Amino acid sequence: MKRGTLVFVAIAAALLAGAGWQWRHDRAQALGSLLDLDPAAVQRIDLAWHGGVTEHYARRDGHWQAVDGTTLPVDEGRLEDLAATAAAPVQSWRPLAEFDPAKIGLAPPPVVLTLDGQALSFGEVAVTGPLRYVRAGDRVALVPVRFTPRPAKANTAKAP
């Protein structure tokens, strides 16, 4: 082999090895999502607003319906967004014991979203960026604020 070819092969091998190491490192550091649920498989959504109403929805025949006395309008897009919260990317996980829940807005939380029986309590926005504290079991995650549940809009459509 020519010396130039040998140098090229050595550089290519080093780059491939470095890329492989980086890929393994990134996978090991991945923090996952809030819940181990597929958003498309979520069948039940309960949304409890502190000091307000609790909304209950169930997916039937591929569509969301209000259940258990919920009289708010059904906004399928909003409910799909709520189900997508299960897959919200987590920026960091920490044990709940490391926090004073009142200082991060979790005592009491302003809203609790329950997806198929798994509760997520939403707290304050973090001072470090557009992230919100979310309690899932005995851990607290930081997730993008865009996954914060939003209230139902009143039906403002006028009758014909």
Side-chain angles (χ1 to χ4, degrees), residues 67-118:
V67 295
D68 298 338
T70 297
T71 59
L72 295 168
V74 175
D75 177 346
E76 297 247 2
R78 173 180 173 250
L79 293 166
E80 290 299 329
D81 288 346
L82 291 171
T85 304
V90 173
Q91 302 300 310
S92 72
W93 281 110
R94 293 187 36 208
L96 178 62
E98 291 184 11
F99 294 97
D100 175 353
K103 288 185 178 180
I104 59 171
L106 292 172
V111 63
V112 176
L113 171 65
T114 305
L115 302 172
D116 286 348
Q118 296 187 51

